[in-house]
Amino acid sequence: MMAYYILRRIFLFFFVVFSITVFAFSLSYLFPGEPLSNLSGYQTIEYADIEFLEQKYNINDSVITQYFTYLGHVLNGDLGLSFSSQTPVFDEILRFLPATFELSFYALLVSMFVGVPIGIIAASKHNKFPDYLIKYSTLIGYSMPIFWWALLLIMLFCLHLGWLPMSGRISLLYEIPAKTGFMIPDILLADVGYRHEALLDALKHLLLPTVILATFPTTVLIRFTRDSMLEVLETQYIKTARAKGLSRMQVLFRHGLRNALLPVIRQIGLQFSTLITLAMLTEVIFSWPGIGRWLVDSIYQRDFPAIQGGLLAVSSFVIIASILADSVHSILNPLTRKRNHG
């Protein structure tokens, strides 16, 4: 049954990716301008290059043939050239994606280490003052617009107190060789005399965007962990454990926590895909050089090949993260597979 479940998820993945590539290809015709320019990235095509590009993209054949030609280029990493920089879109995605992954990963860690324990505390103090305080605080955090929350913290910690920088990944004073694309590992691997100062500076740049980005998933995990714990605490085996004389904390950590965290694990994976989407707004506010800000800049500049490539990359990673989270949850909880099979 597990093999069949994984095959279904693989089929779902390829079907969704196929749908996205069809949509991305159709944008070549929906965007203003010539489809050949939108596919190749050449804004002004020389007469001598027209025949070469027409053969490369099979532009004179049927739409279905053009789509499969486009799909072949995508699989080979050929997403055309960016209108604005005239560099391959695939190379630009590889250059900007690590910054987005790094910011999303740290925000997810903050959400896990803050959200899950607070959710457990709220469940253990059900219908008491700490529970009400946590519940209403998460409601405020969940409802607060991320840009407004970001502006408040920028005004306090950057403009008023001057403790933290308000843009970028690191100060221009420090030159760090890019080995992995991730700032903190690159600093640790760098053989420079100012490594400690650069690490402190990078952490200062990272702190505020991470807090802003982690706010929404943290509130989701708090509420989800609390509700999951309360549901488990009402089950018969928990009542039996209490009847045997175990204390509330023993029941909570020995019997309730493991089962309550199973659905939370799935939420943690799903929140990663949410973080990649929210990172776009955070990157624009803090001038964070990630794929979100690059994609927004491409929209402003009407860089159609970059928009197509960015859409394809971000959508694919969101789908992969969602399917992986769903699969891990199903592996840990066989009852889910049974429910999915009806």
Side-chain angles (χ1 to χ4, degrees):
M1 181 178 288
M2 188 63 203
Y4 179 64
Y5 180 84
I6 292 175
L7 281 175
R8 286 180 61 192
R9 286 294 176 272
I10 293 173
F11 174 76
L12 177 65
F13 168 75
F14 282 110
F15 176 76
V16 176
V17 170
F18 168 75
S19 304
I20 293 172
T21 54
V22 170
F23 177 68
F25 169 73
S26 65
L27 290 177
S28 304
Y29 286 90
L30 297 175
F31 283 141
E34 292 294 326
L36 193 58
S37 294
N38 296 334
L39 285 168
S40 64
Y42 291 98
Q43 281 185 298
T44 54
I45 302 175
E46 300 292 336
Y47 181 77
D49 297 329
I50 292 179
E51 186 177 356
F52 168 74
L53 291 175
E54 286 180 345
Q55 288 180 354
K56 181 180 179 181
Y57 292 100
N58 287 326
I59 204 72
N60 294 322
D61 293 333
S62 65
V63 176
I64 295 176
T65 305
Q66 290 179 42
Y67 165 72
F68 282 105
T69 305
Y70 169 77
L71 191 60
H73 289 303
V74 171
L75 293 175
N76 289 324
D78 181 7
L79 299 174
L81 300 176
S82 166
F83 277 166
S84 57
S85 64
Q86 285 298 292
T87 56
V89 172
F90 187 74
D91 292 347
E92 293 208 344
I93 290 173
L94 290 182
R95 185 157 60 95
F96 289 110
L97 204 54
T100 301
F101 274 160
E102 187 174 33
L103 181 60
S104 303
F105 177 71
Y106 294 136
L108 185 64
L109 285 182
V110 171
S111 303
M112 286 169 52
F113 287 109
V114 174
V116 174
I118 292 180
I120 295 172
I121 292 171
S124 64
K125 303 292 182 183
H126 184 49
N127 283 338
K128 295 180 181 176
F129 175 72
D131 182 31
Y132 289 122
L133 180 64
I134 293 171
K135 193 163 60 175
Y136 291 126
S137 300
T138 54
L139 183 63
I140 294 171
Y142 187 82
S143 310
M144 190 183 302
I146 187 171
F147 62 89
W148 185 73
W149 177 227
L151 291 177
L152 281 181
L153 294 189
I154 287 173
M155 288 175 63
L156 178 61
F157 291 104
C158 303
L159 300 178
H160 183 65
L161 297 174
W163 291 351
L164 298 172
M166 56 189 296
S167 64
R169 296 176 78 186
I170 193 168
S171 173
L172 295 175
L173 294 172
Y174 306 106
E175 186 176 352
I176 304 298
K179 294 182 178 178
T180 65
F182 298 90
M183 183 55 70
I184 301 300
D186 279 350
I187 292 174
L188 296 176
L189 293 173
D191 186 18
V192 292
Y194 45 80
R195 189 166 57 183
H196 292 93
E197 292 83 358
L199 181 62
L200 181 62
D201 187 76
L203 290 175
K204 284 183 177 178
H205 280 80
L206 189 62
L207 182 60
L208 216 49
T210 303
V211 170
I212 297 298
L213 188 56
T215 300
F216 179 79
T218 301
T219 57
V220 172
L221 286 182
I222 290 173
R223 297 175 68 175
F224 205 84
T225 305
R226 174 186 175 275
D227 294 344
S228 180
M229 283 295 297
L230 289 176
E231 188 176 339
V232 169
L233 290 176
E234 292 300 320
T235 55
Q236 288 299 323
Y237 70 91
I238 292 292
K239 293 178 181 176
T240 304
R242 283 181 183 169
K244 287 181 179 178
L246 295 178
S247 67
R248 185 176 181 82
M249 297 306 287
Q250 286 176 318
V251 170
L252 190 67
F253 287 100
R254 193 179 297 175
H255 299 283
L257 194 57
R258 181 180 176 185
N259 291 321
L261 287 183
L262 280 176
V264 177
I265 291 172
R266 184 185 187 188
Q267 274 298 317
I268 291 172
L270 294 177
Q271 288 306 313
F272 185 73
S273 58
T274 306
L275 280 172
I276 292 180
T277 309
L278 290 176
M280 293 186 178
L281 189 57
T282 308
E283 288 174 5
V284 172
I285 294 171
F286 289 97
S287 295
W288 189 265
I291 196 168
R293 201 190 70 169
W294 172 76
L295 196 52
V296 172
D297 289 342
S298 301
I299 294 171
Y300 278 120
Q301 296 166 0
R302 300 187 178 183
D303 191 342
F304 302 128
I307 295 172
Q308 280 178 289
L311 170 71
L312 205 56
V314 172
S315 303
S316 299
F317 281 112
V318 169
I319 292 165
I320 290 172
S322 302
I323 291 179
L324 280 178
D326 200 26
S327 300
V328 170
H329 177 250
S330 300
I331 291 171
L332 296 175
N333 186 7
L335 291 176
T336 306
R337 298 199 297 270
K338 190 176 180 180
R339 280 199 296 269
N340 289 339
H341 283 281

